[in-house]
Every structure is written in C-alpha cells, then in structure tokens.
Amino acid sequence: MEKPWITIGDVATRAGVAASTLRFYETEGLISGRRSAGGHRQYARDTLRRIAFIRAAQAVGLALPDIRAALATLPDGRTPTKADWSRLARDWGPRLDAQIAALQRLRLKLDSCIGCGCLSMKACALYNPKDAAAVRGAGARYLLGDSWSSVVTDSQQAGQAATPAQRK
C-alpha cells in the first residue's frame, strides 16, 4: 500500500512548526520527504509522529545527535508502533529525574548564592569564601548539587581555593 503523502504546509500546520523547521529536520536526517511531480515538498503522514517525538525530545533537552540516534532505531519498512515509541520514551526516565532534581535545587537556591564564584553578592563571603567552590570545577557548583560542606571539605583538602586566574 502506498503511503499517504501530505504537503509541507499541511505538515507544518498540523505539527505546529514552521516549514523551515521541517526542512532543517530533513537536512539533519531526522525526517525524510519527497518531491511531488510538480516539485512540491511532501511528507508521509507518519512523519507527524516523528516530529512530535523530536519536539518532545528537544523539550527534555536531548541534543540532535541523540534524537537522530533514537530515531534510527525505529523500523524503516513500517509505521512505528506504540511499543516502538514506548521503548524510546522509557530511556528518558533517568534524564527527566535528573532535570527535575536540578530544577528543584534551582528553585531552592535561586534567592541565595549558587556557588558560581562571582563574589558579587554580600552573602558569597559566607557561602563561597575565597571562591572555595572553584575546587569542585566550573559552573554553579551548589546548583549542580554540590553541598556547602563538600565544597568546604574539598577546599580545606586542597589547601585553599583556586583563584580565577588559576582556573583558566
């Protein structure tokens, strides 16, 4: 049975994305289409599910190479089943849990120092004296899950915190 093909405009409208987004996804190997006899871009109807998957994966924070790899595991000769989609979505659980935990830490720490080492807040002298969080690595250490006590312990073991010049 021949696949039902729909125009790029119809797919864009149904998927809630711009036609340029569809062209980008196609260039990136995430979806595929064809040209009609008149030269118009068309996509198989099941492309709508792939686009929904791509958009959901992007919302979860997956990078395009990860999305491409996941889509490559889907069958070529048939429309993916619910089981196919469930298998892909199941792998997102740990990633979603980690993102939820990070957002909860952000919510709790948003009004205080997040261990970035900027020393721009008066409270940083208490939370991050002498940029002690720098020994744990780059970024907002407390937001990334480091506790104040672990930063202090590591700083003491290192002798003293690295200066911004030493971290470069």
Side-chain angles (χ1 to χ4, degrees), residues 10-158:
D10 287 342
V11 172
T13 299
R14 297 261 322 270
V17 299
S20 60
T21 300
L22 298 176
R23 288 187 208 96
F24 173 74
Y25 288 166
E26 192 167 357
T27 300
E28 291 295 314
L30 302 173
I31 62 174
S32 61
R34 72 173 191 182
R35 295 272 180 194
S36 69
H40 298 281
R41 187 97 235 58
Q42 296 179 322
Y43 296 96
R45 196 168 297 281
D46 61 8
T47 301
L48 290 168
R49 280 198 194 271
R50 290 177 80 88
I51 296 165
F53 174 83
I54 294 164
R55 306 266 297 162
Q58 288 175 317
V60 170
L62 290 177
L64 289 181
D66 296 329
I67 297 169
R68 188 180 308 105
L71 289 172
T73 68
L74 293 175
D76 283 333
R78 65 172 170 77
T79 300
T81 64
K82 181 177 178 178
D84 294 323
W85 293 114
S86 293
R87 176 182 46 78
L88 291 177
R90 192 174 29 251
D91 295 337
W92 294 355
R95 183 182 191 118
L96 287 171
D97 290 342
Q99 285 182 295
I100 290 167
L103 287 170
Q104 288 173 332
R105 284 192 305 273
L106 174 62
R107 182 182 63 213
L108 292 172
K109 305 228 182 221
L110 213 51
D111 62 348
S112 65
C113 178
I114 58 175
C116 65
C118 70
L119 302 176
S120 63
M121 296 176 65
K122 290 180 184 177
C124 280
L126 300 172
Y127 284 103
N128 196 18
K130 297 182 183 172
D131 196 16
V135 299
R136 298 293 293 220
R141 300 313 314 167
Y142 300 145
L143 179 61
L144 294 171
D146 294 345
S147 68
W148 179 83
S149 59
S150 68
V151 166
V152 169
T153 301
D154 285 357
S155 177
Q156 289 170 345
Q157 289 174 352

Side-chain angles (χ1 to χ4, degrees), residues 1-14:
M1 178 175 153
E2 177 137 353
K3 289 184 178 183
W5 295 90
I6 52 180
T7 67
I8 189 170
D10 287 342
V11 172
T13 299
R14 297 261 322 270

